[in-house]
Amino acid sequence: MATQQVVAPARAGEAAGVLLTFLVTLGAIALAAAAAAVSAVTPQQPPEEAYDAILRLGGTVLLATALAVTAATVVLRRRTAPRRTGRDPVRPL
């Protein structure tokens, strides 16, 4: 849906494909990073503790990212919202 609002309708399919490729690649990189982190931590800790630490870190990163995106969306919407002056009458719907 997001790509359809940004690009021309004729190119929305291409944009969706590019976005999907980006997301799958990002997921693969995250999976490889998690596997490397688990294998690096496993000699010092049991695998269960390593998995728990990786999941907690991933959850924290996702939560922080979601909050940042939400804050950025609110700020951008406020900046692009039409401003009302005291002289403009409010028209009923």
Side-chain angles (χ1 to χ4, degrees), residues 9 13 20 35-36 50 59 63 67 71 81 87:
L20 179 62
L63 179 62
L67 291 174
R87 295 175 263 165

Short mmCIF file of all heavy atoms in Angstrom, two decimals, residues 9 13 20 35-36 50 59 63 67 71 81 87:
data_model
loop_
_atom_site.label_atom_id
_atom_site.label_comp_id
_atom_site.label_asym_id
_atom_site.label_seq_id
_atom_site.Cartn_x
_atom_site.Cartn_y
_atom_site.Cartn_z
N PRO A 9 0.65 4.94 -10.59
CA PRO A 9 -0.06 3.65 -10.60
C PRO A 9 0.50 2.65 -11.61
O PRO A 9 0.49 1.45 -11.36
CB PRO A 9 -1.49 4.04 -10.95
CG PRO A 9 -1.63 5.45 -10.50
CD PRO A 9 -0.28 6.07 -10.70
N GLY A 13 3.53 -1.89 -9.37
CA GLY A 13 3.97 -3.28 -9.30
C GLY A 13 5.48 -3.40 -9.19
O GLY A 13 6.00 -4.20 -8.41
N LEU A 20 9.61 -5.54 -1.72
CA LEU A 20 9.63 -6.91 -1.23
C LEU A 20 11.05 -7.48 -1.24
O LEU A 20 11.48 -8.14 -0.28
CB LEU A 20 8.70 -7.79 -2.07
CG LEU A 20 8.64 -9.26 -1.68
CD1 LEU A 20 8.11 -9.41 -0.26
CD2 LEU A 20 7.78 -10.04 -2.65
N ALA A 35 22.31 -15.48 13.84
CA ALA A 35 23.02 -16.76 13.91
C ALA A 35 24.47 -16.56 14.32
O ALA A 35 25.02 -17.33 15.12
CB ALA A 35 22.94 -17.46 12.56
N ALA A 36 25.11 -15.53 13.79
CA ALA A 36 26.50 -15.25 14.17
C ALA A 36 26.59 -14.86 15.64
O ALA A 36 27.52 -15.27 16.34
CB ALA A 36 27.06 -14.13 13.29
N ALA A 50 21.45 -17.61 25.07
CA ALA A 50 21.85 -16.84 23.89
C ALA A 50 20.62 -16.49 23.05
O ALA A 50 20.47 -15.35 22.59
CB ALA A 50 22.85 -17.61 23.05
N GLY A 59 13.71 -7.51 19.94
CA GLY A 59 12.45 -6.88 20.34
C GLY A 59 12.65 -5.43 20.73
O GLY A 59 11.83 -4.56 20.40
N LEU A 63 10.96 -2.30 18.82
CA LEU A 63 10.14 -1.34 19.56
C LEU A 63 10.66 0.09 19.37
O LEU A 63 9.89 1.02 19.12
CB LEU A 63 10.09 -1.70 21.04
CG LEU A 63 9.28 -0.77 21.93
CD1 LEU A 63 7.82 -0.77 21.52
CD2 LEU A 63 9.43 -1.17 23.39
N LEU A 67 8.65 3.18 17.53
CA LEU A 67 8.42 4.46 18.18
C LEU A 67 9.00 5.62 17.36
O LEU A 67 8.38 6.68 17.25
CB LEU A 67 9.01 4.46 19.59
CG LEU A 67 8.29 3.55 20.59
CD1 LEU A 67 9.07 3.51 21.91
CD2 LEU A 67 6.87 4.00 20.82
N ALA A 71 6.82 8.62 15.74
CA ALA A 71 7.14 10.02 16.05
C ALA A 71 7.42 10.81 14.77
O ALA A 71 6.95 11.95 14.62
CB ALA A 71 8.33 10.10 16.99
N ALA A 81 0.34 19.60 7.39
CA ALA A 81 -1.09 19.89 7.55
C ALA A 81 -1.35 21.35 7.20
O ALA A 81 -0.55 22.23 7.52
CB ALA A 81 -1.53 19.59 8.98
N ARG A 87 -8.99 34.05 10.15
CA ARG A 87 -9.94 34.68 9.23
C ARG A 87 -10.74 33.68 8.40
O ARG A 87 -11.76 34.00 7.87
CB ARG A 87 -9.20 35.63 8.30
CG ARG A 87 -8.60 36.80 9.07
CD ARG A 87 -7.79 37.65 8.15
NE ARG A 87 -6.40 37.19 8.34
CZ ARG A 87 -5.42 37.46 7.55
NH1 ARG A 87 -5.63 38.15 6.47
NH2 ARG A 87 -4.20 37.05 7.79
#
